[in-house]
Amino acid sequence: MAQLIQYIFAGLTMGVIYALTGVGFNLIYNATGVINFAQGEFVMLGAMFLYTLQEVLQWPPLLSLLLVFLLGGVVGVVFEYTVVKPLVRLGVITVIIGTIGASVVLKGGAMLVWGKNALAVEPLISEKPMAFLGASLNTQVLVVLAVTALAVAVFWYFFGFTILGKAIQACSVNPLAARLTGIPVERMITLSFFLSGAFSALAGGLIAPITLAEYDMGTMLALKGFCAAIIGGLGNNPGAMIGGLLLGVMEGLSAGYLSSGYKDALAFLVLILVLFWRPEGLITRGKGERV
Amino acid sequence: MRRIIVALLALVIGIVWCGRPLQARERVYRIGAVFAVTGPAAWLGDPEKKAAKLVEREINARGGINGVKVEVLVMDTQGAPQMAVLKARELVTKRRVMALIGPSRTPTSAAIMKALQLDRVNPRFKVPMVSCAAGRILTQPVKPWVFTTPQTNALAAEAILKYLSGRGIKRVAVVYVSNGFGEDGYDNLKALAPKYGVKIIGTETYGGKDRDMTAQLTKLAAQKPKAIINWSVGPTSVIVTKNFKQLGLDKKGIFLVMTHGQGNIKYVELCGGAAEGVILPAGKILVAQYLPDTDPQKKVLMKFKEDYEKTYKEPVSTFAGHAYDALMLVAEAIEKGKVRPGDGAALRKALETETSGFVGIDGIFHYSPQDHNGLSPEDMVMLKIVNGTFQLTR
């Protein structure tokens, strides 16, 4: 029994990380229809920023996290102006290829600035793990889980019940119609890049104590986060959260009961199955395709 | 007619007489060094280059070998096999070096070995290579023209098993990263375990980018091993250490054993407090100052450590030691075997037959026609991490 719980905890640990990255994908997808393959690098930059502020400059953790959030937002906006805007006329596919290029540049840049070695970041609450029914859980995982749930709730309210959120969604559904109703489409898109960058950087700062901060951590995160977003239905934030946790727990269980060698294969198998049977995502109701 | 012949003879004799000493005075022992000085493996190549230059200066300061100076030409492989081959070719064909030291990594060493046919008995260029890489393919089976200086995975595995069985620990589990390094480590453990009466009761693997290994560790712990051996390098080893502590396995009386890949104080720092009590095998250079004075290597280790740290103002590393040994072994072979400058074939022979018992940084070398690594498990020490530092343990 304790073993089963421990496997689930192991899964949750990775699952919240996937979920956070998945939500980052959604924010940009919802505003522009673009899948941003540099999303993992946003997370990586967050981890690096936090390392610099908290460990090098020795600033208090909460202030550091707040600054990481803002800096991440700035990175998102700069990213939009330098990568997305110049390419957007050429179509969504071109922008996506552009984001892949940007991810390589960001990764290389981070390597030059922070070096190739992994960096350790202190956890927010304590190093001591929490015991539960004979299993143990890293306390930082709870922090990440809480922040993810809170963020999903806030985004749900923001996009569902506020004028600003609705305006962002309108830009994604039909930019021309949105413009005709007086929504400043450009500004809305910039706002969603700010939100995505900020949120992803915060995610990076939160997971750094668990995973260590490393210049090439983004690739794996982007891949698994993308899976999480697909499983939950691209664009659906609660879906990404559930998708990420599901993916993580499945990995944990397969490492425990099957063999750790099949863990990654299983995750991608599930992704393929979902794409076959429910391409709209596990928890999304089917809806009309945007043409 | 006779006068012309006499004149010609005189001319020839004159040229030979004058030429000889002139040539000899100009001659040097020219040795090529190929290291990954820049690029992703610069953390290996940079200290290696520095160590090689240090040794060169030292040998020449005491008048060279047999009165002849040594010249070390360093080239940068950037850690890339094709670049390594290019530079090695240049050193061998244009610069006419009599030996190669380096390169830093196994793939680059293997590429040079193939390109210069060093794995054949009779290659086109008779130039022995003393590599600073540990890969099994370089020395098993023995390649005629390739020697290595670092401790191998097999040695580390043997040192671990010897230590564990000496403490009565016979039930162990292994967790390793699923790449060449991890698999080689596991294969060695599996092959050597019966010799020490150790039973491997479980194995698990993880990917090089995985960031949570609690599932694997839980599964292994359920089989009640007395020790868990982890075989990996880089961040995964830090995660395993942290997860091990998080699961409280140390409190259940299980030892966590790492490999020589963690013989770096950076590893301890990254783990925070979690590395306390971890046991690992390592080369002696890391704990040189703690070795008893009776240790035959102590003097050599301390001198190299002090010289290196004084010259370069940075802590000495295991990798610097690999290059020191490579160049010193070549120098030793030249001196003992009375090898003439440029005679690579004689140097190869001398490396095999004349250097046995050479006291280096990585250990006491016993090169022979059957063994081109020449180290034994006694050349490694077992370390325990206590209060954030490496301590000798027996």
Side-chain angles (χ1 to χ4, degrees), chain B residues 199-259:
Chain B
K199 213 167 160 217
I200 298 176
I201 54 168
T203 55
E204 288 295 322
T205 62
Y206 49 81
K209 290 269 154 229
D210 285 7
R211 287 299 177 262
D212 185 274
M213 283 59 137
T214 47
Q216 286 92 329
L217 290 174
T218 305
K219 198 174 171 189
L220 291 177
Q223 313 193 44
K224 310 244 176 294
K226 284 281 164 214
I228 293 179
I229 304 172
N230 172 67
W231 212 287
S232 69
V233 279
T236 46
S237 61
V238 177
I239 306 280
V240 167
T241 313
K242 284 187 164 186
N243 288 165
F244 183 87
K245 251 311 188 297
Q246 180 199 329
L247 294 171
L249 299 183
D250 52 332
K251 292 190 189 77
K252 290 183 186 158
I254 303 175
F255 286 101
L256 180 61
V257 183
M258 289 277 159
T259 70

Side-chain angles (χ1 to χ4, degrees), chain B residues 105-107 134-137 152-154 175-189 205-208 231-233 236 259-260:
Chain B
R105 301 174 57 232
T106 303
R136 192 148 62 145
I137 51 165
T152 58
N153 269 343
V175 60
Y176 61 94
V177 60
S178 53
N179 64 20
F181 181 72
E183 275 154 24
D184 187 43
Y186 172 60
D187 287 345
N188 279 305
L189 283 171
T205 62
Y206 49 81
W231 212 287
S232 69
V233 279
T236 46
T259 70
H260 50 314

